[in-house]
Amino acid sequence: MPRYNAPFEIHVHGDVPLRSDVTFAQIQEALKPLWKYAGAKSLADGATSTYEEEPGIRFEQKEHMLQMCWTVPGDEDFRQELDEMCMALNELAEQGAAIEVTFYDTDYDEEEGDPEEESRDDFIMLFVGPNPAAIMQVQRDLLVEDVVNLMERHFDGAELGGVVAEIDKLFGDRFDALVNSLEIGKRPRGSGPGGPGAGGHGGGRRPRHLH
């Protein structure tokens, strides 16, 4: 059922590459925590975002890509739905992917509010993938891009190879610690400064994603 006077507007944003054999029925089941939370009876009914300018939840069958740019009113209990969604998407994902989730405080007014008052905004990054190695690869790529973007304010990109190598070493050590107990595929690989992945996020209130 719709949540009136919800303390947050929650925005879910990310693209998840899916296996070629994944069906719409499997996607609907995996995303059931989201559309049920929105008070819908099916994914088709619940895929529309609160905001018309956002594309909502879409499955691009040709590219086998799940695309999410979707907002729903809610509360802190939405975090449990995210955990269930990620566990289900792990079973369908072809590659590792990052999903951004932003909680916007509906009672906070940045322009007219008390300057001493702080918003309850929160931002979390979730990762899904077919195995821990795929998830670790995405985490590695995001960290490299964040660090390179920050350090390029002071250094030329060509000077940062050593920094990237140290990040790769950290993830390699983490992988080696896991491989003793799990069969998780290939070691995360380096792709140099500016590898694939979403960019970093600065301070201040996060703007909404508009398309």
Side-chain angles (χ1 to χ4, degrees):
M1 59 183 295
R3 288 167 170 78
Y4 300 102
N5 301 317
F8 297 102
E9 286 182 341
I10 306 166
H11 183 73
V12 181
H13 192 94
D15 294 341
V16 182
L18 303 179
R19 299 194 321 269
S20 59
D21 62 330
V22 169
T23 65
F24 181 81
Q26 289 175 295
I27 298 170
Q28 176 167 258
E29 183 63 27
L31 297 182
K32 189 174 183 179
L34 299 194
W35 54 261
K36 281 197 69 175
Y37 192 89
K41 296 182 179 179
S42 68
L43 176 56
D45 184 33
T48 302
S49 176
T50 300
Y51 293 95
E52 292 183 0
E53 65 267 26
E54 295 176 352
I57 300 173
R58 300 187 302 184
F59 173 47
E60 297 294 339
Q61 191 168 11
K62 186 176 180 180
E63 292 83 14
H64 306 293
M65 184 73 69
L66 173 65
Q67 299 178 333
M68 294 181 287
C69 181
W70 180 80
T71 299
V72 65
D75 207 335
E76 292 285 350
D77 59 349
F78 188 72
R79 296 173 187 267
Q80 180 177 342
E81 314 304 324
L82 291 171
D83 289 341
E84 295 180 13
M85 177 198 72
C86 287
M87 292 294 291
L89 284 179
N90 286 340
E91 301 295 322
L92 307 182
E94 174 71 22
Q95 303 172 31
I99 301 172
E100 303 175 0
V101 182
T102 309
F103 288 73
Y104 292 98
D105 184 348
T106 57
D107 293 328
Y108 180 77
D109 191 318
E110 192 171 20
E111 296 181 356
E112 300 180 7
D114 184 345
E116 299 297 321
E117 181 184 3
E118 294 186 1
S119 77
R120 295 172 296 168
D121 288 3
D122 194 14
F123 171 71
I124 56 177
M125 184 76 81
L126 305 173
F127 298 91
V128 298
N131 53 55
I135 292 174
M136 199 179 298
Q137 181 69 54
V138 176
Q139 293 172 329
R140 175 264 174 206
D141 292 343
L142 280 170
L143 179 58
V144 166
E145 183 151 333
D146 282 350
V147 170
V148 168
N149 286 341
L150 177 63
M151 296 191 68
E152 278 185 336
R153 301 174 189 175
H154 309 282
F155 299 94
D156 186 89
E159 300 177 84
L160 301 178
V163 175
V164 174
E166 286 301 314
I167 293 174
D168 286 338
K169 183 178 183 300
L170 289 171
F171 276 101
D173 291 345
R174 178 176 292 180
F175 178 90
D176 291 341
L178 284 174
V179 81
N180 291 328
S181 58
L182 295 171
E183 181 61 39
I184 58 178
K186 298 181 180 179
R187 221 170 187 257
R189 65 188 184 281
S191 54
H201 307 287
R205 201 173 199 208
R206 290 174 52 78
R208 294 190 180 280
H209 291 283
L210 300 179
H211 293 261

